[in-house]
Amino acid sequence: MHENKKALTARTLVALLPAMVIAGQTWASTSLAQINQQQLNQLADTLDVKYRLLSNMPEQCPGSTAEFCYHAQIEITSPFTAKVDGWKILYSQVYPATQSKSEQLALRHFNGDLNHISPSNAFTGFEAGKSQVIEFWVASSLLNEGELMPNYILTAQGLEPKVIKSTQSYIEQDTRLEIKPYAAVSAKTSVMQSHPDDQYANFTSAALFENYKIDDYSVDAIAHAIVPTPDAMKVFSNEAPLNLSSGIKLQLSGLEYGDVAAALKRLDALGVKQTHNGVAVNIIVRGKQQGHNGAYQLSTQRGQIQIEAQDSTGAFYGLQSVASLLSLDSMQVPAVNVVDKPRYDYRGLHLDVARNFRSKEFVLRLLSKMSAYKLNKLHFHLADDEGWRIEIPGLPELTALSSHRCIDLDDKHCLQPQLGSAINTDRDGYYSIADYQEILNFAKQHHIEIIPSLDMPGHSRAAVKAMEKRFYTLTKAGKHDAARQYLLSDPQDVTEYRSIQHYNDNTLNVCMESTYAFVDKVISEVAAQHKKAGSPLNIYHIGADETAGAWVESPACKKFIADKSNDVHEVEELTGYFIERVSAMIAKKGIEVAGWNDGLSETRQDKMPRKVASYVWATLPQNAHKVVSAHARRGWDIILSTPDVTYLDFPYELDPKESGYKWGARRTNSKTIFEFMPDNLPANAEVKKDTIGRNYVADDRTQVDENGQFTHQPLPEGFRVTGIQGHLWSEVVRKDHLAEYMLFPRLLALAEKAWHRAKWEVPYNYAGEKYDHTTGFLTAQMREQRDQQWQDFIHAVGHKELEKFDRLGVFYRIPNVVSKVIDNRLHASTIIPGLPIQFRVNQGEWREYDQPLTLKAGTKVELRALSPDRRRPGRIEFADITGTARF
């Protein structure tokens, strides 16, 4: 596919010549003809499109006063002259342009991230080899290729649309990473610096080399490592390790085989079989006692493995720790005694399958990997603006229309082609009732709870359009009452608004009773599916965020507000009313209510159920600690969802080739997650930075306004958050294996934070405290302990866990190689130790890097890391032997 974008050969041009005279029109004529199907097909096959970043700090940003702005251009070049009109190019861009300019083209925003380029009145046609250019300014920064969506679609009225081949991404053969030939984003400082105060421009390869440097670490220490780190462990170094090459023999007491079957299956895949003459594994569940769910004790001494737990989940985790202890090269586990329990009851991962669908097989594989690292909640984001992904009996339109996208801008047969989805995309689909049952059953076997989420009232375009389709179909059939039963939009509403994702039609109308009938129907059907699978729906996440000024001109809402019995006096109160009413509906079904913090903040505490889970997604520099405190004082459970630590759709590193959004953090690697202190959010100001690398202040002291009212108070005495979860939003994740790339290995660091409380973390001060990079509550001794434990953790990942990923077929990220010239020799390393590194000089043969290189000035050196099994290379990095190479 990627080879087709190259310049046309003479033979290809000759082959095209006969087609250039069509319907009496010569393409090289001076008049413009209306494009026909054959011409559209040829242009789609041959146009060369480039999206070129010009600057992240232009002198001006026309049409915007935003803090950030980038200046870019799209170049469209035809290899032959084509005097045709009537066409449009549809393409996805995360943020719409604030202004554009072009001699012959026009750029317009349509809806969501969908934009289109079309000929202006001055358009004179495509000239062979001459680019048509449109410049534009965007109120954001562009720092990696992740935001540049593929699959620009050439379309015209009455013709079959085609994807422009040069805008198709492809999977590189060696690395299996996505390559975007149309993207032109360089690593030059002039481009990558997004703000005058941007500190990340200083993050050279040499600077990162110093940050990731490892001195005098004994690899022998990893033999007894368990990921995530247990609460307490005693190592018996004088006792011989157990050799599991002959297998294991299981003896159970107080539990069923099915309770631990999934953990045994993982051991089997790692080479530890169940045999009659294997090492004895005795597992005892003594029944519920006071303590933590999932707690266990593990002994690997005196020729046998002993696991004691108070519940089957603890027994399951004990076996997973055996798998973590296992060294694949020797098939041995060391002699240890482990006493372990989880830090948090809630240890989760949020998976967005709405924006870009993930196959059922991917979800099952993910559940197995989550359980291996003792994560126990899958927050399943099943519906959003761009897709509805679960079958609901009685509402077939939800999946018939809203589970796929195509070129139907009226949303009559499918949803609009958002997020760079192609005409026949493999990024769409849904889970049938049977699929969802299988997922629920598989999760139960892995001791994971599924928490479904169908975002409402914002982020609901897929539901809105499906119910409009239902309304029109039933109305046409004369079934008017049935048509209105689940309608989610007011046909008379002329409100003009834009959501945070730039939609103008994505919000449920909360003033219509049919909306609540729909919500009740959906939640009841989902709860029924959970009950059928033997996994009761204990908690449901309603979303409840980002409603963006809808309903202002809705006649239904004007009537609703005028009715004094509704206790709603202003349109701004409608979001809170909806959440309160839906929360009461959910609680009445015996289900705990959950939602994002911003929507929940609009509710009245006395109108909400007693049991509420608030998922706090404010960033650390944006005072996440204040949101947590405010909701803790409402008596709610808190799930930490701080984007700058937990969003795994952000880039790993400062690399324009890395994928990911960056609005909450420019880089989120395993180390940034490992250093997070979740029990003391404000204390993170001592070590964390904002989105452009600046220090910030977190003031957690009691604060009052001029009227003496509290504006902030520290956490209530003794309060602790319920848990933490990672998040994989999927706007820029188009393939299942690339979703694994974004998750692993850094999900292991998230699991570490969720399971293990490190002694080096700064304890929370319930009296309140102020923190910044100059305060020293994280003492030098604590930092030294942290750094040592980081080395223990990342060596265990590099020397043990990645080998298991290779064995189990996990497509994790192989880190980039960083380098620095020291004493005229090039030194190289990676953030994860133990990986093979290769280099080549002047594009010669790849050779092993086993010691620093002595090279001549001006030599072109490339570096790459390999997976432990050496079957897959990571991305190639260029080393500047002057020591100033940029990462």
Side-chain angles (χ1 to χ4, degrees):
M1 181 185 301
H2 56 285
E3 293 178 353
N4 291 339
K5 79 179 187 66
K6 296 179 179 178
L8 293 176
T9 64
R11 184 172 61 182
T12 307
L13 282 171
V14 169
L16 286 170
L17 286 174
M20 293 185 184
V21 180
I22 301 171
Q25 292 291 334
T26 303
W27 283 43
S29 67
T30 56
S31 61
L32 295 183
Q34 191 73 14
I35 192 170
N36 62 34
Q37 188 67 61
Q38 189 169 359
Q39 294 166 337
L40 185 147
N41 294 349
Q42 291 168 347
L43 285 173
D45 285 345
T46 58
L47 284 179
D48 184 60
V49 177
K50 285 287 186 292
Y51 191 114
R52 192 177 309 281
L53 175 63
L54 301 177
S55 173
N56 265 307
M57 290 195 299
E59 293 183 1
Q60 58 177 339
C61 193
S64 174
T65 58
E67 183 178 12
F68 296 94
C69 180
Y70 75 82
H71 181 202
Q73 65 183 26
I74 293 177
E75 301 173 356
I76 306 171
T77 310
S78 173
F80 50 81
T81 297
K83 301 291 185 177
V84 290
D85 203 350
W87 52 268
K88 288 183 180 179
I89 295 176
L90 305 178
Y91 81 101
S92 291
Q93 181 171 290
V94 176
Y95 302 99
T98 59
Q99 189 168 309
S100 63
K101 71 174 184 178
S102 174
E103 293 181 0
Q104 299 190 31
L105 301 176
L107 172 62
R108 293 181 179 85
H109 174 247
F110 182 71
N111 199 17
D113 62 43
L114 191 61
N115 300 267
H116 63 74
I117 298 170
S118 59
S120 69
N121 292 334
F123 184 66
T124 59
F126 292 109
E127 300 287 344
K130 183 178 179 181
S131 297
Q132 291 280 0
V133 178
I134 187 162
E135 291 184 62
F136 47 89
W137 291 260
V138 179
S140 180
S141 55
L142 180 60
L143 298 163
N144 65 60
E145 296 178 357
E147 293 182 5
L148 300 184
M149 307 290 184
N151 299 319
Y152 291 35
I153 299 168
L154 185 62
T155 183
Q157 184 70 33
L159 302 182
E160 181 184 358
K162 297 288 183 181
V163 175
I164 298 175
K165 285 188 176 181
S166 67
T167 66
Q168 293 176 318
S169 61
Y170 64 91
I171 301 300
E172 188 177 52
Q173 183 175 357
D174 288 344
T175 65
R176 293 186 61 206
L177 298 178
E178 186 178 24
I179 304 298
K180 300 177 178 179
Y182 55 90
V185 181
S186 78
K188 294 179 180 178
T189 305
S190 59
V191 174
M192 297 308 294
Q193 189 170 9
S194 63
H195 189 279
D197 296 333
D198 192 338
Q199 303 300 305
Y200 285 129
N202 298 321
F203 274 55
T204 62
S205 180
L208 290 176
F209 177 87
E210 289 295 329
N211 195 29
Y212 300 152
K213 186 169 59 176
I214 299 166
D215 294 322
D216 301 325
Y217 187 89
S218 174
V219 179
D220 293 340
I222 67 162
H224 58 265
I226 295 176
V227 177
T229 303
D231 190 52
M233 174 189 284
K234 185 175 181 180
V235 179
F236 299 92
S237 56
N238 294 329
E239 188 171 336
L242 293 177
N243 192 313
L244 303 186
S245 59
S246 61
I248 56 175
K249 184 177 181 179
L250 207 63
Q251 180 68 42
L252 303 179
S253 176
L255 74 163
E256 302 293 330
Y257 182 84
D259 294 330
V260 293
L264 293 168
K265 184 176 180 181
R266 180 171 181 247
L267 280 166
D268 183 272
L270 294 174
V272 180
K273 311 290 184 181
Q274 293 186 67
T275 62
H276 293 296
N277 61 342
V279 173
V281 177
N282 301 313
I283 304 179
I284 303 171
V285 171
R286 301 196 181 279
K288 289 288 184 181
Q289 302 172 9
Q290 186 176 4
H292 292 267
N293 292 334
Y296 68 93
Q297 297 180 39
L298 166 66
S299 172
T300 59
Q301 291 182 268
R302 293 179 288 277
Q304 66 175 0
I305 296 173
Q306 183 88 5
I307 297 173
E308 295 187 18
Q310 69 169 15
D311 57 17
S312 60
T313 301
F316 179 85
Y317 290 155
L319 279 173
Q320 297 288 22
S321 289
V322 172
S324 191
L325 283 169
L326 180 68
S327 295
L328 294 185
D329 56 349
S330 65
M331 295 303 294
Q332 293 181 344
V333 295
V336 298
N337 196 335
V338 174
V339 178
D340 203 4
K341 65 180 184 296
R343 175 182 198 164
Y344 296 126
D345 291 335
Y346 189 112
R347 307 176 301 280
L349 174 66
H350 170 282
L351 178 66
D352 169 18
V353 298
R355 272 57 178 270
N356 282 310
F357 187 62
R358 300 275 78 86
S359 68
K360 178 186 68 177
E361 292 71 25
F362 172 87
V363 177
L364 300 181
R365 281 166 49 83
L366 177 60
L367 288 167
S368 68
K369 288 185 280 289
M370 288 174 59
S371 71
Y373 299 98
K374 305 182 177 72
L375 296 173
N376 67 344
K377 311 287 183 182
L378 180 66
H379 179 177
F380 210 9
H381 191 75
L382 291 161
D384 212 291
D385 296 321
E386 297 84 3
W388 184 282
R389 308 302 186 186
I390 183 172
E391 181 181 2
I392 302 295
L395 297 177
E397 298 84 0
L398 287 169
T399 48
L401 182 137
S402 294
S403 71
H404 64 285
R405 291 164 282 196
C406 66
I407 307 302
D408 179 8
L409 302 186
D410 294 328
D411 303 288
K412 298 298 185 185
H413 307 290
C414 60
L415 294 180
Q416 297 167 5
Q418 301 287 331
L419 300 173
S421 55
I423 298 165
N424 295 310
T425 179
D426 62 352
R427 296 189 265 139
D428 282 331
Y430 67 93
Y431 306 110
S432 67
I433 293 174
D435 290 335
Y436 196 60
Q437 289 289 300
E438 186 176 350
I439 290 169
L440 289 173
N441 288 326
F442 195 85
K444 185 178 180 181
Q445 294 164 13
H446 287 77
H447 298 265
I448 294 174
E449 180 180 11
I450 300 291
I451 301 172
S453 176
L454 302 158
D455 214 341
M456 304 171 185
H459 290 274
S460 295
R461 190 174 191 274
V464 169
K465 294 305 173 182
M467 292 303 95
E468 286 180 356
K469 171 71 172 179
R470 182 180 185 275
F471 174 79
Y472 294 133
T473 301
L474 292 176
T475 298
K476 188 175 181 180
K479 301 177 180 179
H480 298 286
D481 290 342
R484 290 189 292 269
Q485 183 179 8
Y486 298 120
L487 187 61
L488 302 175
S489 54
D490 179 358
Q492 306 303 316
D493 188 0
V494 294
T495 305
E496 295 184 4
Y497 70 94
R498 288 288 179 187
S499 74
I500 194 69
Q501 280 83 25
H502 314 291
Y503 288 101
N504 60 10
D505 53 359
N506 80 329
T507 307
L508 308 183
N509 191 299
V510 302
C511 306
M512 300 164 56
E513 286 303 307
S514 54
T515 292
Y516 299 96
F518 172 84
V519 175
D520 186 66
K521 166 72 172 175
V522 167
I523 295 175
S524 296
E525 293 291 352
V526 172
Q529 294 191 40
H530 277 252
K531 183 178 180 180
K532 182 179 178 181
S535 299
L537 183 57
N538 297 316
I539 180 171
Y540 177 83
H541 196 288
I542 62 177
D545 62 327
E546 299 177 342
T547 50
W551 318 308
V552 174
E553 299 299 331
S554 165
C557 285
K558 289 181 178 180
K559 181 180 178 181
F560 184 85
I561 292 171
D563 185 347
K564 302 303 181 184
S565 66
N566 288 318
D567 194 26
V568 174
H569 310 292
E570 303 290 343
V571 70
E572 291 79 12
E573 298 173 2
L574 288 172
T575 297
Y577 169 83
F578 172 85
I579 298 169
E580 292 164 2
R581 183 169 172 180
V582 170
S583 296
M585 179 193 304
I586 295 170
K588 191 174 182 180
K589 298 177 187 293
I591 303 168
E592 181 180 356
V593 175
W596 301 112
N597 66 269
D598 49 339
L600 292 177
S601 294
E602 299 188 40
T603 64
R604 296 163 289 188
Q605 185 175 354
D606 62 331
K607 301 289 184 179
M608 292 293 288
R610 184 190 64 81
K611 186 74 168 172
V612 175
S614 175
Y615 289 62
V616 176
W617 65 280
T619 65
L620 295 170
Q622 292 174 332
N623 294 317
H625 66 283
K626 292 186 176 181
V627 179
V628 169
S629 180
H631 286 202
R633 289 183 173 276
R634 290 190 176 196
W636 293 349
D637 295 332
I638 304 296
I639 311 301
L640 293 180
S641 304
T642 45
D644 34 346
V645 178
T646 70
Y647 276 30
L648 305 180
D649 57 306
F650 289 170
Y652 279 87
E653 291 289 1
L654 304 170
D655 184 339
K657 295 297 180 183
E658 286 291 328
S659 184
Y661 280 178
K662 47 78 183 75
W663 58 265
R666 290 270 287 276
R667 57 197 293 266
T668 304
N669 60 34
S670 297
K671 190 174 185 182
T672 61
I673 299 171
F674 184 88
E675 293 179 344
F676 180 48
M677 296 180 283
D679 284 341
N680 190 346
L681 294 190
N684 288 283
E686 291 202 346
V687 294
K688 298 293 185 186
K689 311 288 184 181
D690 70 7
T691 55
I692 58 174
R694 295 176 299 193
N695 298 311
Y696 69 94
V697 176
D699 193 345
D700 193 38
R701 298 171 298 184
T702 299
Q703 296 156 40
V704 297
D705 62 18
E706 57 187 13
N707 298 316
Q709 299 295 314
F710 288 116
T711 58
H712 173 66
Q713 294 175 273
L715 290 172
E717 188 71 31
F719 178 87
R720 289 183 62 243
V721 300
T722 302
I724 185 174
Q725 74 175 16
H727 303 74
L728 184 65
W729 299 96
S730 69
E731 290 97 331
V732 297
V733 185
R734 282 170 279 278
K735 299 285 186 182
D736 283 359
H737 78 282
L738 296 177
E740 284 195 341
Y741 176 95
M742 299 302 287
L743 287 170
F744 298 104
R746 58 184 168 179
L747 186 63
L748 276 60
L750 193 285
E752 174 78 7
K753 293 283 83 177
W755 182 267
H756 178 70
R757 178 182 288 106
K759 292 181 174 59
W760 54 261
E761 295 183 25
V762 177
Y764 186 75
N765 183 351
Y766 290 95
E769 190 56 76
K770 183 179 180 181
Y771 302 87
D772 61 35
H773 70 287
T774 66
T775 55
F777 296 97
L778 185 66
T779 65
Q781 183 181 6
M782 295 161 77
R783 289 173 186 257
E784 184 178 348
Q785 291 175 341
R786 178 199 64 189
D787 294 345
Q788 180 59 49
Q789 289 183 23
W790 160 250
Q791 294 301 336
D792 294 340
F793 170 80
I794 201 62
H795 274 82
V797 171
H799 289 279
K800 292 177 72 174
E801 298 307 314
L802 293 192
E803 290 182 353
K804 292 164 187 169
F805 281 172
D806 286 344
R807 180 75 61 89
L808 300 174
V810 180
F811 188 80
Y812 57 90
R813 179 183 184 264
I814 298 172
N816 293 7
V817 179
V818 293
S819 58
K820 182 180 182 179
V821 172
I822 303 173
D823 296 331
N824 297 317
R825 303 179 77 196
L826 182 68
H827 296 246
S829 70
T830 62
I831 186 174
I832 301 176
L835 299 183
I837 296 176
Q838 293 182 329
F839 74 97
R840 66 180 179 185
V841 178
N842 297 330
Q843 295 189 316
E845 294 295 320
W846 286 105
R847 291 184 282 171
E848 297 300 303
Y849 172 88
D850 51 18
Q851 62 181 354
L853 307 175
T854 302
L855 299 166
K856 296 179 180 179
T859 303
K860 183 178 180 181
V861 182
E862 295 169 287
L863 298 159
R864 69 180 185 183
L866 303 175
S867 58
D869 66 5
R870 308 182 71 86
R871 294 182 179 180
R872 181 165 61 94
R875 185 178 283 114
I876 296 172
E877 294 296 326
F878 292 97
D880 182 343
I881 65 170
T882 63
T884 58
R886 190 156 304 282
F887 185 82

